[in-house]
Amino acid sequence: MAMERHERFSLPKVWKPRNVGEAWSLKRSFGSDAEYVAGGTLLRTWWEGEVAERPAHLIDIRSLPLLAGIRIAEEGGTGIGACTTLAEIRRSCGLAAEYPALPEAVLQIGAYSIRNVGTIGGNVASGIGDALPALLVYDAELLWFDGSEERIAISEWLERPEDCRRDRGKLLMQVRLPDRANAVETPTGGGNAPFSVYRKVGRREAFTPSVATVAISAGRTEDGRLERVRIAAGGGAAVPHRLYAAESLLEGKTPDPDLLPLIHEAVEETFRPKGDVFAGEEYRKRTAANLVAAELWKLSAGRQGKE
Amino acid sequence: MIDNRTELAPAQSRLTLRVNGAACEIAAPPSTRLLQVIREFIGLTGTKRSCEIGRCGACMVLVDGEPVNACLAMAYQVQGAEITTIEGIASGTELHPVQRAFLEEGGFQCGYCTPGMVLSVKALLDRSPDPSDEEVEEALSGNLCRCTGYGGIRRAVRRAIELGR
């Protein structure tokens, strides 16, 4: 029904540019009549749900070499091509060791078959993807092409809503994760190893839109104090962002259970979720605050357990 | 920046792929859904059409051995790929062990979700012959059943694991 109505009469043309410049030029020429497409899983739900109009032209970016694969960057850190599938991220041992909150976030996006097709680029470029809180706490940067290469901190990009508009024609090329100094995390998060974690709550156990997502990362000094604390939250239609007030409460401190009520309050006060008919803003704030407090409580319990 | 558009032409309506081992060349527009290619151009109707937005898994097929929702994939995305549908996994009249397990354990009632379930389980057991419960849950998280209940389906998966030993 829906299929006949739309597809028989107005199937989009597909363009296969050979390089980033060609892809960008096509988008510039067609404007809002074209969309960059890699896996297209999110776009399909938008088209069918009439959230977005299906464009007349699809620009296939999967074969652009700079957009593929996970690699160690020359200047240190890791570069993830925008067309890397969520499944590839989930399977990457390198990412699991150094940036474990990212594969954990990805595991909770879509379902197994969706992750085989959907890409990190699409999740990021949507501006609301569930991978974003994890990328925020690792201080990720985004490498865009807009006639020339542009590099921007993901936190800064998310704060500029006009930059999230897909009709602007900028092409996301890579997600860059900075080197985490001696950052191979142990499964228990024990000792002085850096710590990071990601949690998502949805209305079902799996394959569900998020109600709230949180990510936390921190380094640890030799005497067990947390440093470079990052806390971020998102979920649903919210644009994910850092929770600076909660971060500063933890910075330089040991993860002490006595701090948790203050941190809980700071998360509730500063998180800016978007409510809908299923889950209002207050509920989402409370959920995010509970997740942050629960993870920090586990961290403190783990530390105490070792003493 | 030079406008390269004139040097490029849009992709043509010619799809070559292998379906259940047989080479196919199909005059399908590149943005046709794979689901339509399989059901209407090739005539294999075991791949079921339901939600059309990748939520239910009834249209699951294997693309180069990995499960993909045929309602999401477009023809140009599977150019040159090996597609396996539910029609392609039995050996002659001998059911695939996963099909047998669903039959023997009552892993279906109406059967509409079953082709997709079977293919997701086949892909799982091909990559991990003795999966944990978590792996089974992850592998089937995109296949919804609205009448059997998941108890029978879990039993069928366990049985398929035993049959594969």
Side-chain angles (χ1 to χ4, degrees):
Chain A
M1 296 149 288
M3 198 146 92
E4 281 86 355
R5 197 174 63 239
H6 296 303
E7 296 200 348
R8 292 267 163 80
F9 303 107
S10 62
L11 278 173
K13 286 191 166 60
V14 175
W15 298 80
K16 298 171 93 57
R18 294 157 293 193
N19 54 54
V20 166
E22 276 187 357
W24 182 81
S25 296
L26 283 165
K27 177 71 175 144
R28 293 278 286 192
S29 308
F30 293 128
S32 58
D33 285 339
E35 191 90 72
Y36 295 124
V37 181
T41 54
L42 180 63
L43 289 170
R44 173 70 67 185
T45 63
W46 285 353
W47 300 335
E48 296 297 330
E50 297 180 1
V51 174
E53 201 170 325
R54 195 173 54 178
H57 303 276
L58 305 180
I59 303 169
D60 177 20
I61 56 172
R62 292 171 312 155
S63 49
L64 303 179
L66 291 171
L67 277 64
I70 302 168
R71 61 179 75 86
I72 306 296
E74 275 171 29
E75 74 271 25
T78 300
I80 307 174
C83 292
T84 306
T85 64
L86 299 171
E88 287 173 78
I89 290 175
R90 158 96 173 106
R91 283 194 297 262
S92 162
C93 297
L95 292 177
E98 198 168 351
Y99 313 97
L102 180 59
E104 183 57 34
V106 161
L107 172 61
Q108 299 181 55
I109 296 170
Y112 188 90
S113 56
I114 308 293
R115 296 193 287 274
N116 279 335
V117 180
T119 63
I120 188 70
N123 194 267
V124 167
S126 73
I128 55 171
D130 281 349
L132 289 165
L135 295 172
L136 276 167
V137 300
Y138 292 132
D139 295 325
E141 292 181 320
L142 303 179
L143 186 65
W144 296 84
F145 187 85
D146 193 13
S148 58
E149 289 185 10
E150 288 178 4
R151 211 162 147 157
I152 183 170
I154 196 164
S155 53
E156 200 183 323
W157 177 71
L158 286 168
E159 282 161 14
R160 290 169 21 184
E162 69 281 4
D163 248 33
C164 292
R165 279 175 41 204
R166 301 185 323 286
D167 60 1
R168 288 282 300 275
K170 288 167 79 163
L171 175 61
L172 179 61
M173 297 170 67
Q174 268 193 18
V175 176
R176 296 275 181 91
L177 294 166
D179 201 18
R180 295 184 79 210
N182 56 50
V184 174
E185 296 195 14
T186 55
T188 56
N192 295 325
F195 156 81
S196 60
V197 69
Y198 176 91
R199 288 286 303 277
K200 165 175 163 174
V201 165
R203 298 179 65 237
R204 294 187 297 272
E205 189 67 25
F207 196 16
T208 181
S210 50
V211 167
T213 53
V214 303
I216 310 172
S217 86
R220 283 194 269 193
T221 60
E222 280 185 12
D223 57 356
R225 285 178 293 115
L226 299 175
E227 55 178 6
R228 300 184 311 279
V229 176
R230 302 281 184 272
I231 304 176
V239 176
H241 62 94
R242 297 248 311 260
L243 301 169
Y244 297 104
E247 289 176 2
S248 63
L249 286 167
L250 262 181
E251 187 69 36
K253 309 272 176 49
T254 52
D256 185 339
D258 292 343
L259 277 173
L260 296 185
L262 288 173
I263 292 167
H264 190 279
E265 199 180 319
V267 173
E268 279 199 308
E269 276 175 12
T270 55
F271 178 37
R272 302 185 299 271
K274 268 204 176 146
D276 61 21
V277 291
F278 299 110
E281 287 186 11
E282 291 309 310
Y283 179 78
R284 290 172 193 260
K285 285 181 177 188
R286 176 67 54 88
T287 305
N290 289 351
L291 290 173
V292 169
E295 288 307 319
L296 293 174
W297 181 81
K298 278 194 238 168
L299 183 66
S300 69
R303 179 182 63 88
Q304 286 159 349
K306 286 198 179 346
E307 281 171 353
Chain B
M1 177 58 60
I2 301 159
D3 186 340
N4 289 319
R5 198 173 83 178
T6 49
E7 297 170 24
L8 277 177
Q12 294 187 340
S13 295
R14 211 188 69 179
L15 172 66
T16 55
L17 73 175
R18 295 180 72 81
V19 178
N20 299 330
C24 298
E25 191 169 324
I26 300 157
S31 56
T32 313
R33 293 176 199 237
L34 177 58
L35 177 59
Q36 196 177 3
V37 169
I38 292 169
R39 287 181 60 89
E40 296 176 27
F41 286 72
I42 304 177
L44 294 174
T45 54
T47 305
K48 298 304 177 197
R49 177 171 140 194
S50 184
C51 75
E52 301 187 58
I53 53 167
R55 288 285 180 274
C56 75
C59 68
M60 201 71 75
V61 296
L62 306 185
V63 175
D64 296 327
E66 281 289 334
V68 167
N69 304 70
C71 70
L72 293 178
M74 291 178 268
Y76 78 91
Q77 293 175 311
V78 294
Q79 186 72 256
E82 171 78 50
I83 310 290
T84 307
T85 71
I86 191 67
E87 290 90 345
I89 65 169
S91 310
T93 55
E94 176 111 0
L95 290 178
H96 186 277
V98 176
Q99 290 174 303
R100 220 179 99 196
F102 271 75
L103 198 61
E104 290 176 359
E105 293 296 334
F108 63 91
Q109 285 183 50
C110 86
Y112 203 78
C113 70
T114 312
M117 290 272 178
V118 167
L119 286 167
S120 285
V121 175
K122 179 190 184 302
L124 167 68
L125 299 187
D126 285 348
R127 66 179 180 267
S128 175
D130 194 9
S132 65
D133 288 345
E134 289 75 24
E135 279 179 273
V136 174
E137 281 176 13
E138 185 188 347
L140 284 177
S141 60
N143 293 86
L144 302 188
C145 169
R146 283 293 174 264
C147 64
T148 310
Y150 297 100
I153 292 165
R154 278 167 181 274
R155 272 201 316 278
V157 177
R158 287 285 140 221
R159 177 87 180 118
I161 295 166
E162 285 165 20
L163 288 172
R165 278 187 185 136

